[in-house]
Amino acid sequence: MNSENQHKIAAAKKAALEVLLNNSRGTKHCLPRTAAWGYPEPYTRDLMLAILGVAVSGNSELIASYKKVLEKLSETQSEKGHITSLANDKEDRGASDTTPLFLLGVGIYRQLLKDPDFLKEAVEKALLWMEYQSPADQYLVAQQPTSDWRDEQWVLGYGLFVNTLVYSYLRILGHNKRADSIRKEMGGFAITAEKMHHYVHEGLVLKNKPYYALWSYKILSSERFDLLGNSLAILSGLSSPSRARRMINWIEKECEAMKLSGDLAVDLPPNFFPFIKRRDLDWHERYNSFNLPGDYHNGGIWPFIIGIYIAALVAAQRFTLAEKKLLELTRIVSMSKNPELEFGFNEWIKAQDGAPKGQDWQTWSAALYLYAANCVSTRKTDFFDEMRKRPVLDED
């Protein structure tokens, strides 16, 4: 990487740190806010994902601030172990991804603090809560629609994103036997036959495709591509090295096709594709207002997810491609709705024209930029390298 590009990345890293520090100070509940404008609340999922960037920042003020978030979540945790959607509000419940994200965040902080018993009681309660989320009383957990980070996207049953989080927290907390079991269950095929036999257990692998299903449950599934869930599958080592290679090649090929068709204006993958269109069976009327093709969860480009994709590229040893995507992400995070900002770290970008459409100075956009840049510079993926050292049978 030449010196000019290194300078661009260094400037973006400096700006990302400033955003995170700004969003962590002077907040209403003495907790970090989700964005400098528009989102003053301490949304659990955003802050838990942001821990990846905070942890590699080396900034003691930020690290202490997010430790307080974890401690507050242990206080607002429900009696049965569920982690709330807002860190300060014990009555704001119902999310399927906050509890696994909390467990992953605690696992990261146990390594940072060198304290294997950090929040031990809250972790034990949360682990039990997650075990009860398996309708088959096995290992894969199920969810209700719009209950994970996609508040405008219908994911039913065994969602990929949530289950990759489960796999990741099991690994980082040392529950390797259960992690092996969930990997085995996820490795089963998503069932597409009209009749499901009692001896067949559904999984998330798709026949003749290199990626995992968005979701699967009994005889139903979605074969649309979830960039976040599949990137976490690569990063955590849940996906085999051969599947990871095939998946990345497929992603880049599909993105080239979307550029030619006019569906993609930047050199970064949408969070979800192919986009759901009005004529499709999985279209919902509410999408007319919030989730048009190429917008928001229906194919928008989310900088925080791109940060995780770049980390997945490093995990797959696609270092040159990771550098290329980081430079494009650096350009993207410089854009903003407010023209006075040098770096916008906007929430999401419209796929067809590359315009920022969300809130500027979004916490997880800044944090995951830091994490991605750190992965590219060190050629390591902190907190996930050890997970991938577990033996995985390669898949042809």
Side-chain angles (χ1 to χ4, degrees):
M1 189 180 294
N2 62 38
S3 59
E4 181 182 358
N5 289 335
Q6 289 176 345
H7 177 74
K8 290 178 181 177
I9 292 168
K13 287 172 64 178
K14 181 176 181 291
L17 189 60
E18 291 173 355
V19 168
L20 292 174
L21 287 168
N22 175 83
N23 291 0
S24 69
R25 295 169 178 162
T27 54
K28 184 175 181 181
H29 304 287
C30 298
L31 297 171
R33 54 190 292 148
T34 303
W37 303 278
Y39 294 115
E41 306 90 346
Y43 278 107
T44 299
R45 64 172 58 94
D46 299 59
L47 301 184
M48 292 299 96
L49 281 162
I51 279 177
L52 285 168
V54 168
V56 300
S57 72
N59 186 282
S60 58
E61 180 181 342
L62 277 179
I63 290 170
S65 176
Y66 280 71
K67 179 173 179 283
K68 289 180 181 178
V69 176
L70 291 166
E71 291 169 340
K72 174 59 73 174
L73 286 168
S74 72
E75 295 171 8
T76 55
Q77 182 182 33
S78 75
E79 183 179 349
K80 293 184 176 70
H82 180 252
I83 296 296
T84 59
S85 300
L86 286 173
N88 62 295
D89 187 353
K90 64 181 180 180
E91 301 302 326
D92 192 335
R93 302 175 186 169
S96 61
D97 56 357
T98 49
T99 308
L101 281 167
F102 168 78
L103 288 165
L104 180 60
V106 172
I108 292 170
Y109 260 76
R110 284 182 173 183
Q111 292 186 17
L112 282 179
L113 302 174
K114 296 181 172 56
D115 180 3
D117 292 324
F118 177 58
L119 298 181
K120 182 179 180 180
E121 183 179 348
V123 165
E124 290 175 351
K125 288 171 63 177
L127 286 169
L128 183 58
W129 169 267
M130 290 307 302
E131 288 188 22
Y132 277 107
Q133 304 315 302
S134 172
D137 199 12
Q138 292 295 313
Y139 305 100
L140 286 176
V141 303
Q143 63 185 85
Q144 299 292 328
T146 73
S147 67
D148 69 0
W149 82 277
R150 286 163 287 221
D151 56 8
E152 289 297 339
Q153 194 78 298
W154 282 58
V155 171
L156 307 170
Y158 302 128
L160 174 62
F161 166 57
V162 168
N163 279 286
T164 56
L165 291 177
V166 173
Y167 179 81
S168 299
Y169 76 62
L170 289 171
R171 285 289 185 226
I172 203 167
L173 294 174
H175 296 267
N176 290 308
K177 185 176 180 179
R178 192 170 182 87
D180 290 340
S181 295
I182 196 172
R183 182 170 62 197
K184 183 178 179 180
E185 280 199 358
M186 289 183 71
F189 286 114
I191 295 169
T192 56
E194 292 185 2
K195 183 178 180 180
M196 178 180 177
H197 299 283
H198 74 278
Y199 54 82
V200 176
H201 295 284
E202 66 267 49
L204 287 164
V205 169
L206 295 167
K207 290 183 178 180
N208 304 317
K209 294 189 177 180
Y211 58 90
Y212 294 94
L214 171 66
W215 61 267
S216 174
Y217 195 70
K218 297 186 182 294
I219 62 171
L220 302 175
S221 64
S222 171
E223 297 191 8
R224 297 186 191 273
F225 179 75
D226 170 19
L227 181 64
L228 178 55
N230 280 285
S231 296
L232 284 170
I234 295 172
L235 185 57
S236 65
L238 195 154
S239 171
S240 71
S242 64
R243 180 179 294 278
R245 289 190 294 270
R246 296 199 309 273
M247 192 189 306
I248 291 166
N249 290 337
W250 180 88
I251 293 168
E252 294 304 313
K253 183 178 178 181
E254 290 296 311
C255 285
E256 290 302 316
M258 283 189 281
K259 290 178 194 174
L260 292 174
S261 68
D263 284 329
L264 185 61
V266 301
D267 192 22
L268 296 171
N271 80 292
F272 173 87
F273 57 89
F275 309 151
I276 303 174
K277 299 180 179 179
R278 286 186 178 91
R279 66 178 179 269
D280 296 335
L281 292 175
D282 47 354
W283 175 267
H284 296 277
E285 283 303 311
R286 187 174 167 84
Y287 289 4
N288 282 311
S289 300
F290 299 97
N291 224 26
L292 292 171
D295 285 10
Y296 204 44
H297 297 133
N298 191 8
I301 297 165
W302 292 69
F304 92 89
I305 298 178
I306 300 301
I308 294 175
Y309 177 55
I310 291 169
L313 293 176
V314 173
Q317 300 186 351
R318 296 292 302 271
F319 302 124
T320 301
L321 184 59
E323 288 183 2
K324 179 184 176 185
K325 298 302 175 184
L326 179 63
L327 287 170
E328 180 69 348
L329 179 60
T330 303
R331 184 183 73 82
I332 289 295
V333 299
S334 71
M335 299 189 307
S336 61
K337 293 171 72 174
N338 180 351
E340 296 182 3
L341 295 174
E342 183 178 1
F343 285 92
F345 289 101
N346 198 265
E347 182 182 15
W348 65 275
I349 312 297
K350 186 174 177 63
Q352 293 93 334
D353 61 14
K357 295 293 184 179
Q359 295 293 331
D360 290 329
W361 279 31
Q362 193 83 14
T363 290
W364 60 8
S365 297
L368 271 301
Y369 181 86
L370 282 180
Y371 186 72
N374 185 74
C375 290
V376 170
S377 66
T378 63
R379 295 193 170 185
K380 298 192 305 180
T381 58
D382 285 12
F383 312 109
F384 290 95
D385 282 353
E386 288 298 317
M387 296 184 198
R388 295 197 306 278
K389 289 180 181 179
R390 302 286 301 182
V392 180
L393 292 175
D394 217 6
E395 300 154 338
D396 295 325

